[in-house]
Amino acid sequence: MEQTETLIKSIIKGIQEKKGSQIVVADLNGIDGTICRNFVVCQGNSPTQVEAIADSIVDTVRDELHEKPAHVVGLENAQWVAMDYTDVLVHIFLPDVRAYYDLEHLWEDAPLTRIPDLD
């Protein structure tokens, strides 16, 4: 569990390095049938920023924890990038795509932690 928390902190740091916003961590541990322990959801304001956030997460987690994602999908359009760190799935959205899919509502029975935006 501590290893997962450390991974989440490193992911959040990578998001914040590129001014990713509206970060939400969904704790899926108490929900049966989930494919991971946590979701981290955030957004960037443009495809370029979404891609930069994804790159920053990869760099930060690699530098701090010597881990890399098992899969990364969505970089070709950079509207919704999903990154699989096995226990943690990261979703980086453009605002309108995030609103459309509304993952936080989908997992509303999971405890959600909202991370304040950096100024």
Side-chain angles (χ1 to χ4, degrees):
M1 195 65 144
E2 186 176 315
Q3 185 178 1
T4 301
E5 290 176 17
T6 303
L7 175 59
I8 291 169
K9 288 178 183 176
S10 188
I11 289 167
I12 291 169
K13 182 177 177 182
I15 293 167
Q16 292 175 330
E17 286 285 323
K18 297 299 177 182
K19 307 286 191 239
S21 62
Q22 297 187 26
I23 303 169
V24 176
V25 179
D27 181 350
L28 306 178
N29 283 298
I31 300 173
D32 290 335
T34 59
I35 60 172
C36 64
R37 293 181 183 206
N38 297 89
F39 271 10
V40 177
V41 182
C42 70
Q43 68 188 43
N45 293 319
S46 68
T48 303
Q49 186 182 18
V50 167
E51 187 174 344
I53 292 167
D55 290 344
S56 180
I57 292 169
V58 169
D59 292 345
T60 303
V61 172
R62 183 188 62 233
D63 292 348
E64 292 183 354
L65 306 176
H66 310 288
E67 290 187 39
K68 61 182 184 176
H71 295 92
V72 177
V73 295
L75 286 172
E76 51 283 336
N77 293 329
Q79 294 183 17
W80 175 4
V81 173
M83 307 174 75
D84 181 356
Y85 279 96
T86 310
D87 284 343
V88 180
L89 291 180
V90 182
H91 301 273
I92 311 162
F93 289 100
L94 289 177
D96 57 333
V97 178
R98 182 179 188 172
Y100 180 81
Y101 287 101
D102 196 13
L103 289 185
E104 293 93 332
H105 182 72
L106 179 68
W107 296 103
E108 67 185 346
D109 43 346
L112 301 178
T113 303
R114 298 182 190 286
I115 308 299
D117 291 345
L118 297 179
D119 292 330

